[in-house]
Amino acid sequence: MKLYRAKDYKDMSRKAANIISAQVIMKPNCVLGLATGSTPIGTYEQLVEWYKKGDLDFAEVKTANLDEYKGLPRDNEQSYYYFMNSHLFSHVNIDPANTHIPDGMEPDAEKECSHYEEVLAGLGGVDLQLLGLGHNGHIGFNEPDEEFDKLTHCVNLTESTIEANKRFFEKEEDVPRQAYTMGIKTIMRAKKILLIVSGADKADILYQSLCGPITPHVPASILQLHNDVTVVADEAALAKFAK
Ligand code: GLP
């Protein structure tokens, strides 16, 4: 595991964007696994800036997102489909046909989840998976659980996740209670993983994830077993690590 210390959120975003750019330059038709949440917004902004300068080309890039709320239509501003379009896809020359996000409007969970696994297999797997970190250690929407080994599945969001995500919705009742997410097993299949973490409120969970026991109660702790993980975290998130 490689750990890069960033000064602050901006520096973390720039370093993460550099790693993603390197992937795109080395393999122009790579498959990027993408994440949502507030953490990657700066990374996407930086990628868009470099694209606009002519330094990056997304013409052949393919993407697969980690997760999507169940029951939110694509034009809902809180859907991850909407998020990806507004923060990245609509600003770069990616072919929309090459972008993949679970379909939150498919009511049949089993059908959608097995379909998404087929999509990932059809892409030949993910070359670089970007991950944020939830306050309870979740990655994608894999909440603390009794077991690790799941493929794409439907989850019931925990109270703490609903609480954390309600800031994006008008009322707490509007936060969806379920989501489709790549499972831990799906995420661990990615060839490379890039975990980005920012802020003092993530310091404890980052330390537990990287240095604590590997347990499904802290989903991100499984990353200790992946053979190509890069972590970019800012000073505040690294407060529990020795300098
Ligand atoms: C969300 C997403 C995750 C994200 C996490 C942290 O619920 N499903 O993919 O990494 O929560 O979000 P944030 O970056 O806003 O702290």
Side-chain angles (χ1 to χ4, degrees), residues 36-40 66-67 80 132-134 138 140-141 161 165 167 202:
T36 52
S38 46
T39 313
L66 282 168
D67 47 12
Y80 287 167
L133 182 65
H138 75 216
F141 264 135
T161 299
N165 289 0
R167 64 199 149 117
K202 298 276 177 77

Side-chain angles (χ1 to χ4, degrees), residues 191-235:
K191 294 177 192 109
K192 283 177 270 186
I193 290 180
L194 171 59
L195 175 70
I196 54 174
V197 192
S198 168
D201 54 323
K202 298 276 177 77
D204 272 333
I205 196 64
L206 179 61
Y207 187 78
Q208 276 184 58
S209 302
L210 304 188
C211 305
I214 299 168
T215 161
H217 296 292
V218 181
S221 64
I222 193 79
L223 299 176
Q224 295 179 41
L225 298 180
H226 193 283
N227 63 11
D228 195 343
V229 177
T230 301
V231 181
V232 181
D234 64 13
E235 292 284 357

Side-chain angles (χ1 to χ4, degrees), residues 51-64:
Y51 164 74
K52 287 188 173 156
K53 273 193 188 157
D55 290 341
L56 262 180
D57 182 9
F58 289 86
E60 292 177 63
V61 170
K62 290 165 261 176
T63 66

Side-chain angles (χ1 to χ4, degrees), residues 18-224:
N18 257 308
I19 293 167
I20 297 170
S21 298
Q23 173 68 67
V24 172
I25 290 165
M26 308 260 275
K27 186 178 175 189
N29 63 347
C30 65
V31 179
L32 298 177
L34 298 179
T36 52
S38 46
T39 313
I41 291 177
T43 305
Y44 295 146
E45 270 172 15
Q46 183 64 80
L47 291 173
V48 169
E49 195 184 313
W50 287 335
Y51 164 74
K52 287 188 173 156
K53 273 193 188 157
D55 290 341
L56 262 180
D57 182 9
F58 289 86
E60 292 177 63
V61 170
K62 290 165 261 176
T63 66
N65 264 76
L66 282 168
D67 47 12
E68 178 60 283
Y69 287 116
K70 184 164 182 248
L72 283 195
R74 291 176 158 196
D75 59 359
N76 184 302
E77 287 183 22
Q78 299 310 329
S79 76
Y80 287 167
Y81 180 92
Y82 194 97
F83 176 103
M84 288 312 302
N85 268 315
S86 53
H87 290 289
L88 183 66
F89 299 156
S90 65
H91 305 289
V92 299
N93 65 334
I94 197 160
D95 178 351
N98 285 337
T99 66
H100 306 276
I101 302 180
D103 179 2
M105 291 308 281
E106 171 53 63
D108 183 339
E110 222 165 284
K111 185 173 159 206
E112 181 54 24
C113 296
S114 59
H115 169 70
Y116 203 60
E117 284 294 328
E118 280 164 25
V119 167
L120 293 167
L123 291 171
V126 170
D127 290 298
L128 176 64
Q129 177 66 56
L130 178 65
L131 294 177
L133 182 65
H135 288 101
N136 58 6
H138 75 216
I139 46 178
F141 264 135
N142 290 278
E143 300 283 29
D145 200 351
E146 297 306 319
E147 51 170 4
F148 271 130
D149 61 338
K150 280 200 190 111
L151 294 173
T152 301
H153 60 291
C154 180
V155 281
N156 296 319
L157 303 179
T158 61
E159 278 310 315
S160 81
T161 299
I162 292 167
E163 179 65 27
N165 289 0
K166 74 173 187 205
R167 64 199 149 117
F168 300 114
F169 292 83
E170 243 171 65
K171 303 188 285 295
E172 191 184 323
E173 306 91 86
D174 296 341
V175 188
R177 267 39 189 178
Q178 289 188 310
Y180 294 141
T181 182
M182 284 189 196
I184 293 291
K185 208 170 178 175
T186 324
I187 292 171
M188 289 295 280
R189 282 178 180 164
K191 294 177 192 109
K192 283 177 270 186
I193 290 180
L194 171 59
L195 175 70
I196 54 174
V197 192
S198 168
D201 54 323
K202 298 276 177 77
D204 272 333
I205 196 64
L206 179 61
Y207 187 78
Q208 276 184 58
S209 302
L210 304 188
C211 305
I214 299 168
T215 161
H217 296 292
V218 181
S221 64
I222 193 79
L223 299 176
Q224 295 179 41

